[in-house]
Amino acid sequence: MSAPVPQPHRSRPLCAAACAVVVAALLSACASAPPRAPAAAPGSPAALPRAEVGTAQAAVANLAAASATLVSGRIALRAEAGGVRLAGEIGGLTRHGAHVLQVHARGDCSAVDASSAGPYFDATGRGGVDGGSDRIIADAQGVARVAQLVPAAVLGGGAANDIAGRALVVMGATSGATSARVACGVIRLAP
């Protein structure tokens, strides 16, 4: 009698096929998962907590001309319940023109067109631009008197809603510079 001839192992192809199906299922599940939001960089406003009050009560922004205009002014900032109050005068504006005074992300007014101040800064954290409360209207002499509130903003302390060290930017209807950044000034804490 002869010895039995060993038969090839049939379970290996089945095991390999089952493993391939499992791997394919896992890969397709990973591919269809929504991308993860990137973590906020340390020190970025998104990574910082928000504050109800800042460490300072007052600041000032001296606005200088941008985009080849003659717009200038001085804005006093004072912390109050619910935000930071802006008060002052801005001259050199289009007579009877509507302009916008906004806080921008970076305290850098070095670019000729004030683009170095970066985008609009939303102290509320909601991610929108307030379409009305930041509007200023110039009188017949091209002067606007400012009396507005930056909601949810604080002065000093480095919180996500701190506007100290950022820039105030005037945008508006100045002849030849419609919707351009016509003045810029860095918000500096008062001593």
Side-chain angles (χ1 to χ4, degrees), residues 154-186:
V154 298
L155 290 173
N161 54 333
D162 181 7
I163 62 171
R166 298 187 188 283
L168 276 181
V169 175
V170 178
M171 301 175 71
T174 301
S175 299
T178 302
S179 298
R181 298 172 185 209
V182 296
C184 183
V186 177

PDB file of all heavy atoms in Angstrom, residues 154-186:
ATOM      1  N   VAL A 154     -13.557  92.967  24.093  1.00  0.00           N
ATOM      2  CA  VAL A 154     -12.911  93.397  25.332  1.00  0.00           C
ATOM      3  C   VAL A 154     -11.580  94.055  24.975  1.00  0.00           C
ATOM      4  O   VAL A 154     -11.085  93.897  23.858  1.00  0.00           O
ATOM      5  CB  VAL A 154     -12.687  92.230  26.328  1.00  0.00           C
ATOM      6  CG1 VAL A 154     -14.014  91.616  26.756  1.00  0.00           C
ATOM      7  CG2 VAL A 154     -11.756  91.178  25.756  1.00  0.00           C
ATOM      8  N   LEU A 155     -11.006  94.766  25.933  1.00  0.00           N
ATOM      9  CA  LEU A 155      -9.701  95.411  25.748  1.00  0.00           C
ATOM     10  C   LEU A 155      -8.684  94.760  26.671  1.00  0.00           C
ATOM     11  O   LEU A 155      -8.829  94.803  27.887  1.00  0.00           O
ATOM     12  CB  LEU A 155      -9.789  96.902  26.068  1.00  0.00           C
ATOM     13  CG  LEU A 155     -10.580  97.758  25.092  1.00  0.00           C
ATOM     14  CD1 LEU A 155     -10.731  99.177  25.635  1.00  0.00           C
ATOM     15  CD2 LEU A 155      -9.914  97.763  23.730  1.00  0.00           C
ATOM     16  N   GLY A 156      -7.650  94.156  26.107  1.00  0.00           N
ATOM     17  CA  GLY A 156      -6.551  93.579  26.880  1.00  0.00           C
ATOM     18  C   GLY A 156      -6.855  92.198  27.432  1.00  0.00           C
ATOM     19  O   GLY A 156      -8.001  91.797  27.573  1.00  0.00           O
ATOM     20  N   GLY A 157      -5.802  91.486  27.709  1.00  0.00           N
ATOM     21  CA  GLY A 157      -5.907  90.154  28.300  1.00  0.00           C
ATOM     22  C   GLY A 157      -5.650  89.009  27.335  1.00  0.00           C
ATOM     23  O   GLY A 157      -5.425  87.883  27.757  1.00  0.00           O
ATOM     24  N   GLY A 158      -5.719  89.263  26.044  1.00  0.00           N
ATOM     25  CA  GLY A 158      -5.393  88.225  25.067  1.00  0.00           C
ATOM     26  C   GLY A 158      -6.467  87.193  24.800  1.00  0.00           C
ATOM     27  O   GLY A 158      -6.200  86.174  24.171  1.00  0.00           O
ATOM     28  N   ALA A 159      -7.700  87.435  25.229  1.00  0.00           N
ATOM     29  CA  ALA A 159      -8.788  86.485  24.962  1.00  0.00           C
ATOM     30  C   ALA A 159      -9.127  86.488  23.472  1.00  0.00           C
ATOM     31  O   ALA A 159      -8.689  87.359  22.714  1.00  0.00           O
ATOM     32  CB  ALA A 159     -10.021  86.863  25.781  1.00  0.00           C
ATOM     33  N   ALA A 160      -9.920  85.520  23.044  1.00  0.00           N
ATOM     34  CA  ALA A 160     -10.307  85.410  21.639  1.00  0.00           C
ATOM     35  C   ALA A 160     -11.047  86.648  21.149  1.00  0.00           C
ATOM     36  O   ALA A 160     -10.998  86.974  19.968  1.00  0.00           O
ATOM     37  CB  ALA A 160     -11.174  84.165  21.439  1.00  0.00           C
ATOM     38  N   ASN A 161     -11.739  87.360  22.030  1.00  0.00           N
ATOM     39  CA  ASN A 161     -12.502  88.541  21.649  1.00  0.00           C
ATOM     40  C   ASN A 161     -11.812  89.862  22.036  1.00  0.00           C
ATOM     41  O   ASN A 161     -12.427  90.914  22.013  1.00  0.00           O
ATOM     42  CB  ASN A 161     -13.904  88.486  22.243  1.00  0.00           C
ATOM     43  CG  ASN A 161     -13.910  88.276  23.749  1.00  0.00           C
ATOM     44  OD1 ASN A 161     -12.994  87.694  24.316  1.00  0.00           O
ATOM     45  ND2 ASN A 161     -14.961  88.719  24.401  1.00  0.00           N
ATOM     46  N   ASP A 162     -10.528  89.806  22.336  1.00  0.00           N
ATOM     47  CA  ASP A 162      -9.737  91.001  22.675  1.00  0.00           C
ATOM     48  C   ASP A 162      -9.400  91.748  21.383  1.00  0.00           C
ATOM     49  O   ASP A 162      -8.875  91.157  20.438  1.00  0.00           O
ATOM     50  CB  ASP A 162      -8.450  90.555  23.379  1.00  0.00           C
ATOM     51  CG  ASP A 162      -7.557  91.713  23.798  1.00  0.00           C
ATOM     52  OD1 ASP A 162      -7.971  92.885  23.678  1.00  0.00           O
ATOM     53  OD2 ASP A 162      -6.433  91.425  24.258  1.00  0.00           O
ATOM     54  N   ILE A 163      -9.718  93.050  21.338  1.00  0.00           N
ATOM     55  CA  ILE A 163      -9.409  93.814  20.126  1.00  0.00           C
ATOM     56  C   ILE A 163      -8.172  94.702  20.282  1.00  0.00           C
ATOM     57  O   ILE A 163      -7.768  95.354  19.323  1.00  0.00           O
ATOM     58  CB  ILE A 163     -10.622  94.646  19.652  1.00  0.00           C
ATOM     59  CG1 ILE A 163     -11.053  95.677  20.688  1.00  0.00           C
ATOM     60  CG2 ILE A 163     -11.778  93.721  19.255  1.00  0.00           C
ATOM     61  CD1 ILE A 163     -12.100  96.659  20.180  1.00  0.00           C
ATOM     62  N   ALA A 164      -7.553  94.735  21.450  1.00  0.00           N
ATOM     63  CA  ALA A 164      -6.312  95.501  21.628  1.00  0.00           C
ATOM     64  C   ALA A 164      -5.232  94.918  20.721  1.00  0.00           C
ATOM     65  O   ALA A 164      -5.090  93.702  20.607  1.00  0.00           O
ATOM     66  CB  ALA A 164      -5.866  95.453  23.085  1.00  0.00           C
ATOM     67  N   GLY A 165      -4.511  95.786  20.041  1.00  0.00           N
ATOM     68  CA  GLY A 165      -3.458  95.339  19.132  1.00  0.00           C
ATOM     69  C   GLY A 165      -3.963  95.019  17.737  1.00  0.00           C
ATOM     70  O   GLY A 165      -3.174  94.753  16.834  1.00  0.00           O
ATOM     71  N   ARG A 166      -5.255  95.054  17.524  1.00  0.00           N
ATOM     72  CA  ARG A 166      -5.818  94.860  16.181  1.00  0.00           C
ATOM     73  C   ARG A 166      -5.917  96.236  15.519  1.00  0.00           C
ATOM     74  O   ARG A 166      -5.431  97.219  16.059  1.00  0.00           O
ATOM     75  CB  ARG A 166      -7.177  94.176  16.276  1.00  0.00           C
ATOM     76  CG  ARG A 166      -7.065  92.785  16.907  1.00  0.00           C
ATOM     77  CD  ARG A 166      -8.370  92.029  16.852  1.00  0.00           C
ATOM     78  NE  ARG A 166      -8.302  90.796  17.622  1.00  0.00           N
ATOM     79  CZ  ARG A 166      -7.698  89.684  17.230  1.00  0.00           C
ATOM     80  NH1 ARG A 166      -7.089  89.638  16.064  1.00  0.00           N
ATOM     81  NH2 ARG A 166      -7.693  88.615  18.003  1.00  0.00           N
ATOM     82  N   ALA A 167      -6.558  96.318  14.366  1.00  0.00           N
ATOM     83  CA  ALA A 167      -6.639  97.599  13.656  1.00  0.00           C
ATOM     84  C   ALA A 167      -8.082  98.037  13.480  1.00  0.00           C
ATOM     85  O   ALA A 167      -8.979  97.211  13.333  1.00  0.00           O
ATOM     86  CB  ALA A 167      -5.974  97.485  12.293  1.00  0.00           C
ATOM     87  N   LEU A 168      -8.287  99.346  13.504  1.00  0.00           N
ATOM     88  CA  LEU A 168      -9.550  99.942  13.073  1.00  0.00           C
ATOM     89  C   LEU A 168      -9.338 100.384  11.638  1.00  0.00           C
ATOM     90  O   LEU A 168      -8.338 101.052  11.323  1.00  0.00           O
ATOM     91  CB  LEU A 168      -9.915 101.151  13.928  1.00  0.00           C
ATOM     92  CG  LEU A 168     -10.623 100.880  15.242  1.00  0.00           C
ATOM     93  CD1 LEU A 168     -10.943 102.197  15.948  1.00  0.00           C
ATOM     94  CD2 LEU A 168     -11.893 100.083  15.038  1.00  0.00           C
ATOM     95  N   VAL A 169     -10.256 100.022  10.759  1.00  0.00           N
ATOM     96  CA  VAL A 169     -10.146 100.339   9.343  1.00  0.00           C
ATOM     97  C   VAL A 169     -11.416 101.061   8.904  1.00  0.00           C
ATOM     98  O   VAL A 169     -12.520 100.632   9.228  1.00  0.00           O
ATOM     99  CB  VAL A 169      -9.936  99.056   8.503  1.00  0.00           C
ATOM    100  CG1 VAL A 169      -9.940  99.373   7.017  1.00  0.00           C
ATOM    101  CG2 VAL A 169      -8.630  98.369   8.890  1.00  0.00           C
ATOM    102  N   VAL A 170     -11.235 102.162   8.162  1.00  0.00           N
ATOM    103  CA  VAL A 170     -12.358 102.868   7.561  1.00  0.00           C
ATOM    104  C   VAL A 170     -12.437 102.434   6.110  1.00  0.00           C
ATOM    105  O   VAL A 170     -11.452 102.483   5.376  1.00  0.00           O
ATOM    106  CB  VAL A 170     -12.169 104.403   7.629  1.00  0.00           C
ATOM    107  CG1 VAL A 170     -13.340 105.117   6.949  1.00  0.00           C
ATOM    108  CG2 VAL A 170     -12.010 104.863   9.058  1.00  0.00           C
ATOM    109  N   MET A 171     -13.628 102.006   5.719  1.00  0.00           N
ATOM    110  CA  MET A 171     -13.876 101.619   4.326  1.00  0.00           C
ATOM    111  C   MET A 171     -14.994 102.506   3.828  1.00  0.00           C
ATOM    112  O   MET A 171     -15.852 102.911   4.605  1.00  0.00           O
ATOM    113  CB  MET A 171     -14.273 100.150   4.262  1.00  0.00           C
ATOM    114  CG  MET A 171     -13.211  99.245   4.843  1.00  0.00           C
ATOM    115  SD  MET A 171     -13.694  97.536   4.915  1.00  0.00           S
ATOM    116  CE  MET A 171     -13.676  97.128   3.193  1.00  0.00           C
ATOM    117  N   GLY A 172     -14.978 102.818   2.537  1.00  0.00           N
ATOM    118  CA  GLY A 172     -16.113 103.612   2.139  1.00  0.00           C
ATOM    119  C   GLY A 172     -16.115 104.295   0.823  1.00  0.00           C
ATOM    120  O   GLY A 172     -15.438 103.893  -0.101  1.00  0.00           O
ATOM    121  N   ALA A 173     -16.905 105.354   0.778  1.00  0.00           N
ATOM    122  CA  ALA A 173     -17.306 106.015  -0.447  1.00  0.00           C
ATOM    123  C   ALA A 173     -16.428 107.191  -0.826  1.00  0.00           C
ATOM    124  O   ALA A 173     -16.884 108.109  -1.469  1.00  0.00           O
ATOM    125  CB  ALA A 173     -18.758 106.472  -0.303  1.00  0.00           C
ATOM    126  N   THR A 174     -15.178 107.195  -0.422  1.00  0.00           N
ATOM    127  CA  THR A 174     -14.300 108.295  -0.791  1.00  0.00           C
ATOM    128  C   THR A 174     -14.075 108.269  -2.302  1.00  0.00           C
ATOM    129  O   THR A 174     -13.845 107.206  -2.878  1.00  0.00           O
ATOM    130  CB  THR A 174     -12.959 108.186  -0.032  1.00  0.00           C
ATOM    131  OG1 THR A 174     -13.254 108.208   1.361  1.00  0.00           O
ATOM    132  CG2 THR A 174     -12.034 109.319  -0.385  1.00  0.00           C
ATOM    133  N   SER A 175     -14.158 109.416  -2.955  1.00  0.00           N
ATOM    134  CA  SER A 175     -14.021 109.499  -4.419  1.00  0.00           C
ATOM    135  C   SER A 175     -12.784 108.743  -4.883  1.00  0.00           C
ATOM    136  O   SER A 175     -11.696 108.944  -4.362  1.00  0.00           O
ATOM    137  CB  SER A 175     -13.917 110.959  -4.861  1.00  0.00           C
ATOM    138  OG  SER A 175     -15.088 111.635  -4.479  1.00  0.00           O
ATOM    139  N   GLY A 176     -12.963 107.899  -5.872  1.00  0.00           N
ATOM    140  CA  GLY A 176     -11.867 107.131  -6.432  1.00  0.00           C
ATOM    141  C   GLY A 176     -11.472 105.927  -5.601  1.00  0.00           C
ATOM    142  O   GLY A 176     -10.565 105.192  -5.958  1.00  0.00           O
ATOM    143  N   ALA A 177     -12.135 105.717  -4.461  1.00  0.00           N
ATOM    144  CA  ALA A 177     -11.762 104.589  -3.599  1.00  0.00           C
ATOM    145  C   ALA A 177     -13.014 103.941  -2.988  1.00  0.00           C
ATOM    146  O   ALA A 177     -13.026 103.577  -1.830  1.00  0.00           O
ATOM    147  CB  ALA A 177     -10.824 105.068  -2.495  1.00  0.00           C
ATOM    148  N   THR A 178     -14.083 103.816  -3.770  1.00  0.00           N
ATOM    149  CA  THR A 178     -15.311 103.225  -3.259  1.00  0.00           C
ATOM    150  C   THR A 178     -15.034 101.812  -2.761  1.00  0.00           C
ATOM    151  O   THR A 178     -14.435 101.001  -3.457  1.00  0.00           O
ATOM    152  CB  THR A 178     -16.398 103.197  -4.359  1.00  0.00           C
ATOM    153  OG1 THR A 178     -16.600 104.529  -4.790  1.00  0.00           O
ATOM    154  CG2 THR A 178     -17.688 102.624  -3.836  1.00  0.00           C
ATOM    155  N   SER A 179     -15.445 101.540  -1.540  1.00  0.00           N
ATOM    156  CA  SER A 179     -15.257 100.254  -0.858  1.00  0.00           C
ATOM    157  C   SER A 179     -13.798  99.934  -0.556  1.00  0.00           C
ATOM    158  O   SER A 179     -13.481  98.825  -0.150  1.00  0.00           O
ATOM    159  CB  SER A 179     -15.890  99.105  -1.648  1.00  0.00           C
ATOM    160  OG  SER A 179     -17.273  99.313  -1.747  1.00  0.00           O
ATOM    161  N   ALA A 180     -12.926 100.876  -0.767  1.00  0.00           N
ATOM    162  CA  ALA A 180     -11.513 100.660  -0.453  1.00  0.00           C
ATOM    163  C   ALA A 180     -11.277 100.954   1.021  1.00  0.00           C
ATOM    164  O   ALA A 180     -12.082 101.595   1.689  1.00  0.00           O
ATOM    165  CB  ALA A 180     -10.638 101.564  -1.309  1.00  0.00           C
ATOM    166  N   ARG A 181     -10.163 100.497   1.519  1.00  0.00           N
ATOM    167  CA  ARG A 181      -9.731 100.826   2.880  1.00  0.00           C
ATOM    168  C   ARG A 181      -9.084 102.206   2.807  1.00  0.00           C
ATOM    169  O   ARG A 181      -8.021 102.353   2.220  1.00  0.00           O
ATOM    170  CB  ARG A 181      -8.760  99.770   3.388  1.00  0.00           C
ATOM    171  CG  ARG A 181      -9.414  98.394   3.460  1.00  0.00           C
ATOM    172  CD  ARG A 181      -8.418  97.314   3.786  1.00  0.00           C
ATOM    173  NE  ARG A 181      -9.070  96.006   3.735  1.00  0.00           N
ATOM    174  CZ  ARG A 181      -8.703  94.962   4.446  1.00  0.00           C
ATOM    175  NH1 ARG A 181      -7.665  95.040   5.265  1.00  0.00           N
ATOM    176  NH2 ARG A 181      -9.348  93.823   4.348  1.00  0.00           N
ATOM    177  N   VAL A 182      -9.755 103.203   3.382  1.00  0.00           N
ATOM    178  CA  VAL A 182      -9.298 104.583   3.199  1.00  0.00           C
ATOM    179  C   VAL A 182      -8.538 105.139   4.395  1.00  0.00           C
ATOM    180  O   VAL A 182      -7.934 106.207   4.308  1.00  0.00           O
ATOM    181  CB  VAL A 182     -10.470 105.509   2.818  1.00  0.00           C
ATOM    182  CG1 VAL A 182     -11.040 105.098   1.455  1.00  0.00           C
ATOM    183  CG2 VAL A 182     -11.557 105.507   3.874  1.00  0.00           C
ATOM    184  N   ALA A 183      -8.569 104.437   5.538  1.00  0.00           N
ATOM    185  CA  ALA A 183      -7.777 104.837   6.703  1.00  0.00           C
ATOM    186  C   ALA A 183      -7.608 103.627   7.609  1.00  0.00           C
ATOM    187  O   ALA A 183      -8.422 102.707   7.595  1.00  0.00           O
ATOM    188  CB  ALA A 183      -8.453 105.973   7.470  1.00  0.00           C
ATOM    189  N   CYS A 184      -6.533 103.660   8.410  1.00  0.00           N
ATOM    190  CA  CYS A 184      -6.232 102.526   9.279  1.00  0.00           C
ATOM    191  C   CYS A 184      -5.467 103.030  10.491  1.00  0.00           C
ATOM    192  O   CYS A 184      -4.652 103.944  10.392  1.00  0.00           O
ATOM    193  CB  CYS A 184      -5.388 101.526   8.495  1.00  0.00           C
ATOM    194  SG  CYS A 184      -4.971 100.003   9.377  1.00  0.00           S
ATOM    195  N   GLY A 185      -5.757 102.418  11.643  1.00  0.00           N
ATOM    196  CA  GLY A 185      -5.024 102.747  12.861  1.00  0.00           C
ATOM    197  C   GLY A 185      -5.010 101.572  13.815  1.00  0.00           C
ATOM    198  O   GLY A 185      -5.998 100.853  13.941  1.00  0.00           O
ATOM    199  N   VAL A 186      -3.889 101.365  14.457  1.00  0.00           N
ATOM    200  CA  VAL A 186      -3.737 100.253  15.401  1.00  0.00           C
ATOM    201  C   VAL A 186      -4.368 100.641  16.738  1.00  0.00           C
ATOM    202  O   VAL A 186      -4.207 101.765  17.213  1.00  0.00           O
ATOM    203  CB  VAL A 186      -2.254  99.894  15.591  1.00  0.00           C
ATOM    204  CG1 VAL A 186      -2.079  98.787  16.626  1.00  0.00           C
ATOM    205  CG2 VAL A 186      -1.636  99.477  14.263  1.00  0.00           C
TER     206      VAL A 186
END
